Amino acid sequence: MADHTTNPATSAEGDRTYWSANLRIISVCLVIWALVSFGFGILLRPALSGITVGGTDLGFWFAQQGSILVFLGLIFFYAFRMNRLDREFGVEEE
């Protein structure tokens, strides 16, 4: 368990590194979410209309169900990655 409270310089650098990693994870999740919900569900829907999934075209599927399922997956991914990041920096919950 890393202790970032002993040295103020180390603590500040550790805090910056932690938040930088956190923002990187958030950015990746937001890009994936925007691509799937706005890109696949709206912008690319005509291009995906020839591919069928469950009796409907893929663009419609992303607009109605796929973006929600991807969003739920991103929530679990974010929780998993943040728990791992918290353990790396010694700030996990007990």
Side-chain angles (χ1 to χ4, degrees), residues 3-23:
D3 185 14
H4 295 288
T5 60
T6 56
N7 185 350
T10 306
S11 177
E13 182 62 33
D15 290 347
R16 277 192 290 276
T17 305
Y18 175 83
W19 284 109
S20 174
N22 184 12
L23 291 176

Side-chain angles (χ1 to χ4, degrees), residues 52-90:
T52 58
V53 171
T56 186
D57 66 89
L58 187 59
F60 180 79
W61 184 84
F62 269 114
Q64 297 302 313
Q65 294 178 19
S67 59
I68 296 169
L69 295 175
V70 170
F71 182 70
L72 290 173
L74 286 173
I75 291 171
F76 287 107
F77 169 76
Y78 179 76
F80 170 77
R81 284 290 293 134
M82 284 308 297
N83 284 335
R84 195 164 79 182
L85 188 66
D86 288 349
R87 278 193 304 275
E88 288 176 20
F89 284 87

Side-chain angles (χ1 to χ4, degrees), residues 30-49 57-63 66-67 70:
L30 284 174
V31 166
I32 292 170
W33 175 65
L35 178 68
V36 168
S37 63
F38 188 70
F40 290 164
I42 298 171
L43 296 178
L44 297 176
R45 187 171 184 270
L48 299 173
S49 65
D57 66 89
L58 187 59
F60 180 79
W61 184 84
F62 269 114
S67 59
V70 170

